[in-house]
Amino acid sequence: MLTEPDAPLAADDRAPPAWLAAGAPNVWRPYCQMKTAPPPLTVASASGCRLTLEDGRELVDGIASWWTACHGYGHPHIRAAIEAQLGRVAHVMFGGLAHEPAYRLAARLAAMLPGDLDHVFFAESGSVSVEIAMKMALQYWINRGVAGRTRFLSFLGGYHGDTLGTMTVCDPEEGMHSLFAGVMPAQHVVPLPVDEDSTAALDAYLAEHGAGIAAMLVEPRVQGAGGMLFHGDAVLRTLRRLADAHGVLLVFDEIFTGFGRTGDLFVCAGSGVTPDIITLSKALTGGTLPLSAAVASRRVFEAFWSDDPGAALMHGPTYMANPLACAAANASLDLFEDGAWKGAVAHIEAALRRALEPCRDAPGVVDVRVLGAIGVVEFAEPVDAGALCARFAELGAWIRPMGKVVYLTPPFVIGDEDLALLTGAVKAVVGGGA
Ligand SMILES: *Cc1c(COP(=O)(O)O)cnc(C)c1O
C-alpha cells in the first residue's frame, strides 16, 4: 500500500468510495453552495475523539459534531443502553403511550435543573424545542387572559435555530437568515445589556414595547453559532430583573451551553439565574441520537393546567421522546453523574488558554478567548472556511470555522496529545508564536 511518508495520519491509495459519487447528485448538504463547495470528507467510522475517513486518514475532532459528542464517539455505556433499548422498542408514539426511558429522563432532568424547572416537553431537534418554548410563552399569556403579548425579544449575536419561527429571533445580520427579512413577523432583536448604558437602553425599550412581548430569549454566557460571543453572568441577572420588572418571560436557550460546555452543567445552575423556560438538545444524548426538550417552570406549566381542553399545549412531534434517544440521554446523564466531566472541562480550559494565547499576535486576529471547553480565535473579517478546513484536515484535525471565528469545542474526554494536535493545527494555520 502506498502512503505519503511525511503526511501525518496520511491517506492511503484507496479510491473515493463509490457511494459518494452515486449519491452526490441527490444529497443537498447543509449551509452549502452545492455548485462550488469541495466534496465532503467521507467518514467510515468514529471512536473516542477521532474520525476515521474512508481513505484511511484519522482526524481528531475539534468540533464534537456540532457540540454534541461530549463523551466522544462510540462510548460503550451509551452504546449498550441504545442496544438494550433497541431490543425492547425502538419507537412508539408519545400520544397516549408512555415508556420508561422518557419518564425516567424527565424526572432526572427536572432534578438536575435549578428551581422549579420541572415540566419537560420532548421534541427531536433544537430548533423545534425553541419553537415549542416560543409557543408555550405565547399561550401562557393567552391562557392567563392577557392580550397583545405576541412578540419576542432576543439579542444581537444570537442564534436559536433554522426553522421559520426561530429564524425571527436570530441575529438578523450575523445569523444566516437576513435573506428572509420581511417574510416572517419582525421581532425585537436588541443589544445585550452588558453595561450601564445598554442596560438603561433595554429598560427603556421594554418600558415602551414590553406589554407586547411574550418572552425574551437568550443563549446564556455564550452566543454560539452567532460567533462564540461571551458575556458575564451579570448580564443574565440583569435580564432576569428586567424580565420581572416588565412582566416578560425569560427563556434560556441552553442547547449549546447545556451539559457542561461552559464549565457548569447548566448556565442556569452555575449563574444562579433561573429562567422560566429552558431549551436543551445538542449534547443531551451525548451526540448519538436526535432529541431535545423545552423545560418549563411551574408558573408556566400552571397556566396550561385547566378543566378547559382548549388551554392545553397543542404540540406533539411524531418522534418526540423517542425511546432510543431517551435511553441514550439517560446513559449520557449516567456519565455526568460521577462529576469527572468537571475536572476534564477545567483541564481543557487551561490547556486551550495556554495553547491558543500565541494566536493573538497572528495577522488578522482580533481576539482569543476561552471559556470551559470552548476555545475561540476571532478574526477581523470572515475567514475562508472551506480552505481552512482543508488545511486543518491535512494536519489531522477536523475543525470547521464559522464566520469570523476559528474555534475548538472538543469532546470532554479528549487526551492531551489529541488536544495538542488540535491547538497545534490552529496555530500552524492561523499563525502566531510557536
Ligand atoms: C444548534 C442550536 C439550535 C438549533 O438546534 P437544531 O438541533 O440544529 O435545530 C438552537 N439554539 C442554539 C443555541 C443552538 O446552538
Side-chain angles (χ1 to χ4, degrees):
M1 207 192 292
L2 284 170
T3 50
E4 292 190 19
D6 56 356
L9 308 162
D12 59 29
D13 60 350
R14 265 173 270 186
W19 56 256
L20 182 66
N26 307 111
V27 173
W28 201 332
R29 296 158 58 200
Y31 307 119
C32 181
Q33 175 41 263
M34 295 294 293
K35 185 173 178 185
T36 54
L41 300 177
T42 54
V43 175
S45 64
S47 177
C49 295
R50 290 171 174 239
L51 310 174
T52 301
L53 304 188
E54 294 274 7
D55 65 8
R57 267 185 294 173
E58 248 181 26
L59 302 185
V60 176
D61 186 353
I63 305 297
S65 280
W66 275 333
W67 327 327
T68 61
C70 53
H71 311 294
Y73 297 95
H75 194 289
H77 183 63
I78 301 180
R79 249 181 93 151
I82 295 170
E83 281 167 2
Q85 184 57 41
L86 190 56
R88 293 184 205 107
V89 55
H91 184 67
V92 286
M93 62 192 280
F94 211 52
L97 299 176
H99 50 81
E100 197 247 346
Y103 277 61
R104 187 156 169 261
L105 178 60
R108 292 177 83 184
L109 289 173
M112 289 166 87
L113 290 167
D116 58 4
L117 288 165
D118 288 342
H119 304 279
V120 181
F121 195 99
F122 289 113
E124 71 296 68
S125 81
S127 300
V128 171
S129 70
V130 176
E131 296 276 353
I132 291 164
M134 293 168 75
K135 197 161 162 181
M136 279 176 178
L138 290 172
Q139 199 176 342
Y140 168 85
W141 294 110
I142 294 169
N143 284 358
R144 293 190 39 179
V146 176
R149 288 197 181 260
T150 57
R151 289 285 191 267
F152 296 93
L153 183 135
S154 60
F155 297 96
L156 295 173
Y159 174 79
H160 299 286
D162 285 350
T163 55
L164 284 169
T166 59
M167 275 165 57
T168 67
V169 287
C170 291
D171 184 304
E173 302 299 327
E174 289 293 319
M176 305 158 201
H177 311 306
S178 52
L179 194 59
F180 300 105
V183 176
M184 296 296 291
Q187 311 291 7
H188 305 279
V189 188
V190 301
L192 275 169
V194 293
D195 56 22
E196 252 176 60
D197 287 352
S198 49
T199 299
L202 179 57
D203 196 10
Y205 194 90
L206 285 165
E208 190 180 345
H209 301 285
I213 294 173
M216 57 170 94
L217 295 92
V218 68
E219 296 164 87
R221 262 190 206 158
V222 184
Q223 296 177 303
M228 296 291 167
L229 307 164
F230 301 167
H231 56 260
D233 291 353
V235 170
L236 305 175
R237 289 190 288 274
T238 299
L239 293 182
R240 181 73 270 178
R241 181 171 60 76
L242 293 181
D244 291 341
H246 297 278
V248 170
L249 293 176
L250 178 61
V251 179
F252 275 10
D253 180 349
E254 293 220 41
I255 290 171
F256 172 42
T257 55
F259 302 103
R261 184 56 66 181
T262 73
D264 284 309
L265 197 50
F266 303 101
V267 174
C268 60
S271 67
V273 178
T274 308
D276 301 298
I277 305 173
I278 179 175
T279 54
L280 301 170
S281 186
K282 294 233 156 79
L284 173 56
T285 64
T288 55
L289 287 157
L291 184 68
S292 66
V295 185
S297 64
R298 190 179 312 130
R299 154 159 93 121
V300 171
F301 180 75
E302 280 177 354
F304 294 79
W305 181 266
S306 164
D307 294 322
D308 173 10
L313 181 63
M314 296 306 282
H315 209 100
T318 306
Y319 276 96
M320 80 180 281
N322 172 262
L324 292 175
C326 289
N330 276 310
S332 177
L333 295 191
D334 294 343
L335 297 176
F336 277 104
E337 240 155 34
D338 71 2
W341 65 272
K342 208 170 166 71
V345 169
H347 184 76
I348 292 169
E349 177 170 26
L352 288 174
R353 240 182 247 293
R354 239 184 349 260
L356 294 180
E357 191 52 36
C359 295
R360 208 178 280 283
D361 303 325
V365 169
V366 294
D367 192 30
V368 173
R369 55 183 177 269
V370 173
L371 180 68
I374 309 167
V376 185
V377 178
E378 180 171 336
F379 289 78
E381 300 295 330
V383 298
D384 181 345
L388 290 185
C389 255
R391 295 194 51 204
F392 287 129
E394 282 166 16
L395 297 170
W398 172 241
I399 300 171
R400 195 169 191 265
M402 190 174 67
K404 293 178 188 170
V405 299
V406 172
Y407 72 93
L408 297 174
T409 50
F412 302 160
V413 295
I414 195 163
D416 286 341
E417 279 180 24
D418 279 357
L419 192 55
L421 184 145
L422 292 175
T423 54
V426 171
K427 278 187 281 196
V429 169
V430 314

